[in-house]
Amino acid sequence: MRKMTLFKLFGINLKITTKIIHMTTRYKTKNYNAVYTKLYEINALKLVFPLQQFHRKYCFQSFRGDETDSDSEDIEKKRDIKSTILQDNNDILAIKISECKSLQEIFDLLQNNKNKLNWKNISMAIAMVRELQIIYYRLCMFEKNLNSYITPEYNFEKILTNNDFLNLINFMEEHYEFMNIQCLSYSLLCLHKLGVDINSTVSLKLSHKLQKILMTTPVEEIESCILSRFIVTIVAHRDLLGLYILKDIWPIVLKKMELCDTYEDIKHISICLYNLPWFLNKSVMDNFISKIKCNLLNKPQHDEKIKCIVKVLRLINSPYWINQNTNLSRSLLLSLVGAVKQIALYDMIQLQMIIVKQSEPYELFEEIHNETSKWLFKADVDTDITVLRLLSCIVPSSSASQRKQIESLLRKHFLLNNSFSHLCIGPLFNIIRNLKTSDLEICNAYWSSVLDWLISGKPSIRENHKLLRICNRYMNFNNNMSGTYRHYKFENQMINWLTEELDHGVSAIIPSKFTKIFSFFISYPNKNIGYEIPEVMVKKVLDTVGQYNIYDCYIVSKGLNTAFINRKNKTALPMFLDQYVRLCTALNKRSLDILNQEPNLSISQLNSLYRGYNHRYNVKEPRLFYKILERYKNYTSEDFSSRTIRELTYNLVTSDWYDAELLDKCLEYFIKNHKYLLAENVEKILTLFFLYGVNSEQFIEFLPYATEIINRDKFKMSGLNFMRASLALCYFYSLSTPIKDYLFSVEFLEKLDDELNNCYAKATYPLKVRQLLMILNRAVCIDYPEFDVPWFHTKYCEEIQSLVPKHTGSFYLEVEKKLNQLIINKGYLKSNSFSPYGYKLDFELILNDSKQLKSTNKNEKLILLLLNENDLRKTDNEMRGLSRLKQRHLEILGYRVIWIKKSIWNSMFMTEPEAKLSYLKNLIWQKP
């Protein structure tokens, strides 16, 4: 009763009361009054925070990002800031500051004792301001997202203009000379996280002082956490000054790395190396990997070890190193199996992101997914930034029902009725992108909110690297929606900002930035922007293409591919087509130069080079293509991973190429590591072998494992992917009874209906799913009669047959003409007919023992089918899987099947007057 009276006194409405009670009971806050009184005033700078009593399980990170753990790691425990930065200190004022529960309390203490302040008090004050900020963004993000009474002018986002805080900064400038190394590093990081400009006077003074101490202190006496704090802060310079400072710090990091042998040291050195990718090389990484293997593998489980493993995994899974240490990465991940419940939320999110990148191992992927999925049931109550980040990890592997629940949550809380904090932009993007929702209102609400935030925000949020990151997100989003989504207002405004950046910024002279701008600029034409590419930009690319790296070539190629697709209905664009050919030719030449100059490309780099080449599909360069394929031969199966194999199979299917030796290496990896594989990766390689209608000894060996994995994950796979995998297994006579039972169950058909109702590409996706379901039904009926599966697509096939037009191509008409010359009795020849189970037959002949048609078989049913170039493999001109499956099924149904290849029909030896008639006779009346 007393608690409710307090709420009435403070004027808190029932909605807020319910939330606070839920949070206190759920997270076992020890001091309820401290939680309630946090809302005792509207002014956020006077909010009372339960610092010492608040249980941190609800929270997971600081608002500035996840560059380091230095000030936001112990999320499950109370943090004792005093012992962190001022060990064994008995300064009474510092102790009082460490016990403050509001900013105003800190500022009042400083003001009342300003004549007695020393460096210890100042250090503690700035650390406590940062601590309160962490709690504010963790605890109050929920209320902000629901448009509660907390408004932007009353929160920490405005702290940099607060007079009391500015006075604290002035005090720090006066006393920083006396700070010890621990306080210097922590204060510098806190200023950075609070939003103080890294080039401000106070930050520069602290960084120079700390740099000087680091350069003169023996490495043995420097704590690794001090190095990580300093490096994370200096990296934020994003300029040459920062690199100049880090150049002197790098040798210290290397020496410290040689000495590290504890979980704490390895963790912080991992943070240092992760933030210094420009200084890393293979030798350094190999030395660090040796340290990791000695100190992390086969060691007892421990909380500190878990935190250490997460940071190590983040380092070795950074873009350049992700494929260099696949086995170590898997071993570290597997060491966490069974310990997921002990992992803090922030670390769990990091792990989920790493596993999604690696696409393995299954055991930990499943365990983390099960644990994080529980948050879906709590999302309606706790829809905050923490839950959003968790959901962004869950969506890629979520079921159809879970996706509907997540979509409903977004619609309710974040997009349609309420604006959302800019902190939610990243997680929301990952969620909506992977949902592939058909609700354009959600998509429009998201991109409109992003645009409004960019327009209304400070100029700093529109810095080139931030704009380019958002542009890249938009392009990935558009790609995931198969190019069906456009937000023209967003595109136009981004083009305006990017044009301004090219005119007045530095991006025009930095290839890695210019290529991203160019790619976005050309990808999304409309009547306002125009459909031609400015020639000055084309000339810029052609003049600087010699400076492009693999990723630059890929980015421009991706933009050209999108540009071509978005202009395909514009026929009168001769200037664009000329520009397109010139750019693609130049990129092919540059890619070939890179291959010749770089003998030690990683598989990931080679995959990017290959994918870039595929994007330039209208301008081929055979030398480059064969050289890329040849370079893969330098790798063994040990160099591959699930991720690289997935990228490679995508590239092979896109370029329509089958390479037996290369795929056997992939299969060798899959066979060896089958227990770690995810079904979606197995489906990709099954589909590839089915499309080409081939197999090998390695593939036959892999099939039992593939069947087991598909059966294991059948309830989690998307309907389309599961049907693709099932069709491939059916083709190779490996379809198991459990897979068949689920495939033709009411549960699966209802799942398909849900997917079709919520798919984003309603013009094409339902047709694709329905057609594949029919093909599967037919394949199982014919190949597996013992399964006794009914044929339930008769009506569908009749509908399709009524819409199929008669062939009018010259190849078909010419064959028909020659057959009519051979078959006088028209009753023995049918054209454009259909077999049982709905196969389209080009020509159907009935042979009997008539004098005209001599045959040893009476009333033989013979089928003539035409093979165009698209029906054959490029590598050896043999039939693809669908054609082989068709032949097998027709033969089971009692037909003799004859194929006529277009290439043979139009070859030189067929130009003789009677050659084609003779060719047909020999095919039809084969000699015994």
Side-chain angles (χ1 to χ4, degrees):
M1 186 66 185
R2 179 174 174 271
K3 295 170 187 173
M4 295 305 297
T5 304
L6 279 172
F7 274 107
K8 291 177 181 177
L9 288 173
F10 295 141
I12 305 299
N13 62 38
L14 182 60
K15 184 177 182 182
I16 299 299
T17 304
T18 304
K19 287 181 228 171
I20 298 299
I21 292 174
H22 168 77
M23 289 168 57
T24 55
T25 54
R26 176 181 171 194
Y27 298 105
K28 303 176 183 177
T29 308
K30 296 178 183 178
N31 189 330
Y32 288 90
N33 287 330
V35 180
Y36 296 142
T37 56
K38 85 178 184 64
L39 296 171
Y40 85 105
E41 287 188 31
I42 288 181
N43 184 349
L45 295 181
K46 295 180 181 179
L47 287 175
V48 175
F49 292 97
L51 177 62
Q52 303 304 327
Q53 296 82 18
F54 181 63
H55 193 273
R56 299 291 173 75
K57 189 173 183 179
Y58 180 73
C59 321
F60 80 94
Q61 73 161 60
S62 66
F63 86 107
R64 289 285 295 181
D66 59 355
E67 305 101 320
T68 179
D69 299 348
S70 298
D71 71 340
S72 60
E73 176 175 348
D74 296 318
I75 59 180
E76 300 286 345
K77 305 173 184 177
K78 295 182 296 183
R79 298 205 319 173
D80 189 348
I81 297 299
K82 185 174 75 69
S83 63
T84 299
I85 65 171
L86 291 173
Q87 300 174 5
D88 302 323
N89 175 54
N90 295 318
D91 187 288
I92 296 175
L93 182 56
I95 294 173
K96 287 183 179 180
I97 293 173
S98 71
E99 294 172 349
C100 288
K101 298 173 184 170
S102 73
L103 285 176
Q104 200 59 51
E105 204 173 332
I106 296 173
F107 295 150
D108 289 345
L109 272 175
L110 295 176
Q111 184 63 32
N112 296 336
N113 296 275
K114 61 182 179 181
N115 295 326
K116 300 185 291 184
L117 292 178
N118 58 39
W119 63 274
K120 299 176 182 179
N121 312 144
I122 302 301
S123 300
M124 184 59 67
I126 198 69
M128 285 303 302
V129 171
R130 167 59 181 159
E131 189 71 4
L132 293 177
Q133 184 199 41
I134 293 173
I135 297 174
Y136 174 81
Y137 275 97
R138 290 169 171 174
L139 194 59
C140 298
M141 183 60 63
F142 178 47
E143 285 86 353
K144 288 176 64 179
N145 279 332
L146 293 184
N147 284 345
S148 70
Y149 65 91
I150 298 178
T151 55
E153 57 265 31
Y154 295 123
N155 60 36
F156 271 85
E157 293 170 10
K158 300 293 183 180
I159 193 172
L160 297 183
T161 58
N162 180 272
N163 290 330
D164 290 324
F165 180 74
L166 295 177
N167 288 334
L168 174 58
I169 297 298
N170 292 333
F171 290 144
M172 179 167 286
E173 282 195 61
E174 295 173 10
H175 296 86
Y176 82 95
E177 286 282 359
F178 307 101
M179 289 183 182
N180 63 21
I181 189 171
Q182 190 72 254
C183 289
L184 277 171
S185 67
Y186 205 90
S187 298
L188 185 62
L189 180 66
C190 288
L191 289 175
H192 163 54
K193 293 295 187 73
L194 286 164
V196 176
D197 190 345
I198 197 67
N199 292 310
S200 65
T201 303
V202 64
S203 293
L204 289 174
K205 286 181 178 179
L206 263 66
S207 62
H208 290 155
K209 172 74 174 176
L210 182 54
Q211 180 186 8
K212 184 177 179 180
I213 294 176
L214 288 172
M215 298 294 292
T216 56
T217 303
V219 175
E220 295 81 2
E221 299 177 15
I222 300 174
E223 293 184 34
S224 56
C225 61
I226 292 171
L227 283 174
S228 70
R229 292 171 192 157
F230 184 59
I231 287 172
V232 166
T233 307
I234 299 303
V235 164
H237 273 285
R238 302 185 70 92
D239 56 18
L240 293 177
L241 175 60
L243 287 175
Y244 181 78
I245 295 173
L246 293 170
K247 172 182 66 69
D248 294 332
I249 301 300
W250 177 241
I252 302 175
V253 175
L254 292 180
K255 292 177 183 176
K256 192 66 180 176
M257 184 182 75
E258 293 297 329
L259 298 173
C260 71
D261 56 3
T262 66
Y263 294 145
E264 186 75 8
D265 284 342
I266 293 175
K267 179 184 68 179
H268 285 288
I269 294 301
S270 296
I271 295 170
C272 294
L273 299 181
Y274 178 81
N275 283 279
L276 295 174
W278 319 280
F279 296 95
L280 276 177
N281 57 38
K282 192 171 188 310
S283 175
V284 174
M285 279 298 291
D286 286 345
N287 289 339
F288 189 58
I289 293 301
S290 298
K291 289 281 182 182
I292 294 170
K293 290 178 178 178
C294 291
N295 293 282
L296 283 183
L297 294 181
N298 303 317
K299 299 287 184 178
Q301 202 64 277
H302 186 275
D303 284 350
E304 289 303 316
K305 179 186 175 184
I306 292 175
K307 295 177 184 298
C308 179
I309 287 176
V310 172
K311 290 306 154 190
V312 169
L313 283 168
R314 189 177 65 159
L315 169 63
I316 64 178
N317 282 277
S318 54
Y320 184 76
W321 304 105
I322 189 169
N323 296 308
Q324 308 282 332
N325 300 285
T326 302
N327 291 332
L328 174 61
S329 182
R330 186 195 299 120
S331 298
L332 291 174
L333 286 168
L334 288 172
S335 70
L336 298 175
V337 172
V340 168
K341 292 184 178 179
Q342 304 171 31
I343 299 175
L345 292 182
Y346 174 75
D347 293 335
M348 196 182 301
I349 291 167
Q350 291 284 310
L351 281 174
Q352 183 84 337
M353 294 171 69
I354 289 167
I355 293 173
V356 169
K357 286 182 181 178
Q358 285 285 359
S359 295
E360 61 178 65
Y362 167 79
E363 292 96 325
L364 190 62
F365 185 91
E366 183 70 5
E367 192 173 345
I368 291 181
H369 177 77
N370 291 338
E371 192 66 25
T372 52
S373 292
K374 296 175 184 177
W375 283 78
L376 273 176
F377 299 104
K378 306 168 184 176
D380 281 332
V381 179
D382 297 323
T383 316
D384 67 345
I385 183 67
T386 309
V387 176
L388 272 182
R389 290 187 181 274
L390 281 167
L391 294 184
S392 70
C393 297
I394 296 170
V395 171
S397 57
S398 60
S399 64
S401 60
Q402 286 177 325
R403 289 178 180 238
K404 288 172 66 177
Q405 188 178 351
I406 294 171
E407 187 174 320
S408 175
L409 182 149
L410 294 180
R411 192 178 292 108
K412 178 180 177 182
H413 287 310
F414 284 92
L415 298 175
L416 304 185
N417 301 319
N418 301 285
S419 59
F420 53 86
S421 166
H422 71 277
L423 303 179
C424 303
I425 286 177
L428 277 173
F429 168 76
N430 290 329
I431 293 172
I432 299 172
R433 174 191 178 190
N434 288 306
L435 273 179
K436 296 186 179 181
T437 176
S438 60
D439 190 342
L440 293 182
E441 195 174 4
I442 289 180
C443 301
N444 290 333
Y446 174 76
W447 289 109
S448 295
S449 296
V450 172
L451 182 60
D452 291 343
W453 170 66
L454 287 171
I455 292 173
S456 61
K458 298 180 292 185
S460 61
I461 68 173
R462 295 187 294 276
E463 293 175 357
N464 58 68
H465 65 279
K466 296 176 182 176
L467 282 181
L468 291 177
R469 186 184 303 122
I470 293 174
C471 285
N472 186 58
R473 282 178 177 170
Y474 183 83
M475 293 184 74
N476 287 334
F477 185 87
N478 181 268
N479 182 61
N480 267 36
M481 301 286 280
S482 298
T484 59
Y485 177 78
R486 299 283 298 273
H487 193 293
Y488 291 101
K489 185 177 180 181
F490 175 86
E491 292 172 8
N492 291 341
Q493 183 57 64
M494 293 300 293
I495 290 293
N496 292 337
W497 281 327
L498 295 178
T499 302
E500 183 179 350
E501 168 62 22
L502 288 176
D503 292 339
H504 306 291
V506 298
S507 296
I509 59 173
I510 301 177
S512 62
K513 293 183 181 294
F514 178 77
T515 53
K516 293 173 185 174
I517 292 177
F518 178 78
S519 182
F520 186 88
F521 196 97
I522 66 175
S523 292
Y524 306 109
N526 59 53
K527 61 183 180 181
N528 297 324
I529 299 172
Y531 292 91
E532 307 287 359
I533 306 175
E535 183 61 25
V536 64
M537 296 185 75
V538 175
K539 189 175 186 304
K540 176 79 173 176
V541 173
L542 296 175
D543 290 344
T544 60
V545 70
Q547 304 173 38
Y548 290 179
N549 59 29
I550 291 173
Y551 188 67
D552 296 331
C553 292
Y554 166 74
I555 285 294
V556 176
S557 301
K558 180 181 177 183
L560 287 170
N561 180 49
T562 307
F564 191 87
I565 292 172
N566 287 336
R567 291 171 174 84
K568 62 184 177 182
N569 294 326
K570 306 294 178 182
T571 55
L573 291 173
M575 181 178 173
F576 168 75
L577 293 175
D578 174 69
Q579 293 169 331
Y580 179 87
V581 172
R582 285 188 289 145
L583 289 167
C584 288
T585 302
L587 289 168
N588 281 337
K589 183 178 182 303
R590 175 56 187 159
S591 299
L592 195 57
D593 290 341
I594 291 174
L595 275 176
N596 291 329
Q597 296 165 8
E598 301 289 341
N600 298 315
L601 294 178
S602 68
I603 293 181
S604 182
Q605 289 174 309
L606 202 55
N607 280 336
S608 296
L609 203 64
Y610 193 177
R611 190 162 189 176
Y613 175 79
N614 284 336
H615 280 315
R616 305 186 294 272
Y617 60 89
N618 288 304
V619 182
K620 295 299 185 182
E621 172 51 72
R623 287 184 303 161
L624 174 59
F625 178 71
Y626 290 117
K627 199 169 187 68
I628 290 173
L629 291 175
E630 186 63 30
R631 186 63 67 87
Y632 280 109
K633 308 295 173 63
N634 296 339
Y635 304 110
T636 67
S637 63
E638 296 297 321
D639 298 312
F640 285 94
S641 68
S642 288
R643 176 189 175 90
T644 54
I645 291 174
R646 179 174 179 148
E647 292 170 351
L648 175 57
T649 53
Y650 174 86
N651 284 331
L652 288 170
V653 171
T654 303
S655 60
D656 192 18
W657 195 259
Y658 172 74
D659 189 307
E661 181 182 349
L662 181 54
L663 286 170
D664 275 350
K665 291 181 180 180
C666 298
L667 289 168
E668 187 178 339
Y669 175 86
F670 272 7
I671 292 169
K672 183 177 180 181
N673 302 287
H674 63 89
K675 60 183 177 180
Y676 309 126
L677 303 181
L678 301 179
E680 60 180 22
N681 296 324
V682 172
E683 179 271 320
K684 296 293 183 295
I685 204 159
L686 283 175
T687 300
L688 183 146
F689 274 85
F690 166 66
L691 286 175
Y692 294 129
V694 294
N695 58 31
S696 64
E697 290 184 9
Q698 295 273 24
F699 184 73
I700 298 301
E701 184 182 351
F702 174 64
L703 271 175
Y705 299 125
T707 303
E708 181 183 345
I709 292 168
I710 297 299
N711 183 53
R712 181 196 70 196
D713 290 351
K714 59 180 180 286
F715 299 112
K716 301 167 192 168
M717 298 176 70
S718 73
L720 188 64
N721 286 344
F722 177 64
M723 288 194 294
R724 283 174 174 163
S726 299
L727 182 58
L729 292 174
C730 186
Y731 177 80
F732 293 107
Y733 290 112
S734 298
L735 189 68
S736 66
T737 300
I739 293 177
K740 178 269 299 181
D741 289 341
Y742 178 64
L743 183 62
F744 298 104
S745 67
V746 174
E747 180 184 357
F748 179 70
L749 294 178
E750 288 178 346
K751 176 182 177 180
L752 276 184
D753 285 338
D754 281 342
E755 287 186 11
L756 297 181
N757 290 333
N758 295 284
C759 69
Y760 62 97
K762 290 189 179 295
T764 57
Y765 188 78
L767 297 175
K768 189 184 298 184
V769 168
R770 186 69 188 274
Q771 178 72 4
L772 185 54
L773 185 60
M774 183 275 290
I775 293 173
L776 253 175
N777 186 200
R778 178 170 61 197
V780 174
C781 286
I782 298 175
D783 286 326
Y784 294 88
E786 67 274 17
F787 284 164
D788 199 25
V789 172
W791 169 244
F792 52 87
H793 277 89
T794 301
K795 186 175 179 180
Y796 170 77
C797 288
E798 289 173 352
E799 292 173 356
I800 295 299
Q801 291 166 15
S802 66
L803 300 174
V804 174
K806 189 178 185 300
H807 286 302
T808 57
S810 58
F811 177 31
Y812 180 89
L813 294 176
E814 192 173 359
V815 172
E816 185 179 38
K817 179 181 177 182
K818 297 298 181 183
L819 284 173
N820 282 324
Q821 292 177 15
L822 283 174
I823 311 298
I824 299 174
N825 189 336
K826 304 307 178 190
Y828 293 114
L829 174 64
K830 293 181 182 179
S831 58
N832 288 296
S833 60
F834 292 89
S835 75
Y837 297 100
Y839 272 119
K840 175 75 165 57
L841 308 178
D842 294 324
F843 302 102
E844 181 179 358
L845 285 76
I846 299 177
L847 304 183
N848 59 20
D849 57 356
S850 67
K851 294 180 180 179
Q852 181 190 10
L853 302 177
K854 294 181 180 180
S855 174
T856 56
N857 299 319
K858 294 183 179 181
N859 298 323
E860 179 184 18
K861 295 185 294 183
L862 184 146
I863 303 298
L864 269 74
L865 300 177
L866 307 185
L867 282 173
N868 291 289
E869 288 85 349
N870 293 336
D871 300 315
L872 303 170
R873 298 194 296 262
K874 286 183 179 180
T875 45
D876 54 11
N877 211 34
E878 292 299 320
M879 288 191 301
R880 295 175 181 273
L882 276 173
S883 297
R884 290 179 179 274
L885 185 65
K886 182 176 183 178
Q887 176 173 341
R888 185 170 86 194
H889 287 171
L890 289 174
E891 288 174 348
I892 292 174
L893 293 172
Y895 295 97
R896 179 162 68 93
V897 181
I898 295 174
W899 295 94
I900 303 175
K901 294 182 181 179
K902 185 177 182 180
S903 57
I904 295 178
W905 187 260
N906 293 328
S907 59
M908 288 290 292
F909 77 89
M910 288 290 192
T911 57
E912 295 295 325
E914 299 298 320
K916 291 181 178 177
L917 275 175
S918 177
Y919 176 70
L920 285 175
K921 283 182 181 179
N922 292 332
L923 285 177
I924 296 171
W925 294 286
Q926 296 176 2
K927 295 180 180 180

